[in-house]
Amino acid sequence: MVYDFLLEFIDHFGYIALFLVLCLGLIGLPIPNEVVLMTAGTLSAAGILYYPFAYLAVSLGICSAMTFSYVVGRFFIKTRLFRNMQKSPKTEHYFTISEKWFDKYGGYAIGMSLCLPFLRHITMYVAGMNKMSYRKFALYAYPSAFLWTLVYFLLGIIVKDQIIEIGTMIEHYGTILVVVLIVCLLLYLLYRSSRSKQHHKTISGRK
């Protein structure tokens, strides 16, 4: 099973494994990025990984994958492999969507595409194909990557043993489920914050 391989890989190589899996994730490794991010959060909550290092490893992995795709789109667009990829009916459809998003939303299309499993692969290529400067690409891509990573990292801390099921649902329902999960996460954090404040008030009242 692919997930078992992921856990074994992390067990052997730790933070480097998280970085490598996500670095390769946007270019075809058969492990959903969302599952890897949630796994990093779950393992951190279990005390197996250290929170800051795990989060940094997965964030840099995503940023590296995005940069790789951008560079390919910017400098290797004329290669035979790239032309063949564009001719595929499925990828051609996503290239069209990504182009429309760039026309309508500009650089914000990069952050928006992260929520959709296959479109996120294509959008980085399109950013390069459109000759977007690296400085502008970095301005939109990296903050979006760190925020998107944080959402799933925190989600992994909460869901724990339901990672596979939630990862599968995200692949099928995409943006709608992501929005629902983010709202649930925010509500949960507000609930925890409220409980913590009430607890402190109770302790202070007893004193």
Side-chain angles (χ1 to χ4, degrees):
M1 187 177 177
V2 176
Y3 190 65
D4 292 333
F5 164 77
L6 172 63
L7 293 178
E8 186 175 344
F9 194 40
I10 295 173
D11 183 52
H12 279 81
F13 299 101
Y15 306 104
I16 295 176
L18 290 173
F19 172 83
L20 290 176
V21 169
L22 287 167
C23 186
L24 298 173
L26 287 182
I27 55 175
L29 200 68
I31 303 175
N33 292 318
E34 293 84 356
V35 169
V36 181
L37 297 175
M38 288 189 288
T39 299
T42 297
L43 294 178
S44 297
I48 297 172
L49 298 175
Y50 182 49
Y51 285 104
F53 292 164
Y55 173 65
L56 186 61
V58 292
S59 298
L60 293 179
I62 290 291
C63 289
S64 298
M66 295 170 75
T67 304
F68 175 84
S69 298
Y70 164 80
V71 170
V72 170
R74 180 79 185 269
F75 301 106
F76 299 96
I77 187 175
K78 295 182 179 180
T79 61
R80 180 179 298 179
L81 178 64
F82 199 83
R83 288 199 302 270
N84 290 339
M85 184 177 68
Q86 285 182 279
K87 291 178 182 177
S88 165
K90 182 178 180 180
T91 54
E92 185 178 5
H93 171 68
Y94 283 106
F95 269 107
T96 301
I97 293 175
S98 187
E99 288 282 8
K100 288 180 179 179
W101 279 21
F102 268 105
D103 290 340
K104 189 172 183 179
Y105 304 109
Y108 292 107
I110 293 173
M112 292 165 57
S113 71
L114 285 172
C115 297
L116 297 171
F118 194 77
L119 191 63
R120 76 172 68 114
H121 297 242
I122 302 298
T123 302
M124 310 310 151
Y125 292 121
V126 174
M129 290 167 56
N130 289 344
K131 304 301 180 184
M132 176 183 283
S133 69
Y134 174 75
R135 183 176 180 179
K136 187 175 181 180
F137 170 78
L139 180 64
Y140 286 102
Y142 300 152
S144 299
F146 273 83
L147 178 60
W148 179 73
T149 300
L150 180 62
V151 170
Y152 285 102
F153 188 83
L154 293 175
L155 193 59
I157 295 173
I158 298 170
V159 301
K160 297 179 181 178
D161 57 345
Q162 273 108 35
I163 289 176
I164 299 296
E165 291 80 2
I166 291 177
T168 303
M169 290 172 64
I170 290 168
E171 281 197 290
H172 282 85
Y173 300 107
T175 306
I176 296 175
L177 184 60
V178 170
V179 172
V180 172
L181 290 173
I182 290 174
V183 170
C184 291
L185 177 61
L186 290 174
L187 291 174
Y188 174 78
L189 292 175
L190 287 172
Y191 170 75
R192 287 288 299 271
S193 177
S194 176
R195 285 289 300 273
S196 178
K197 288 179 180 178
Q198 289 179 359
H199 180 68
H200 286 304
K201 286 181 179 179
T202 302
I203 294 176
S204 300
R206 289 174 180 175
K207 290 180 180 179

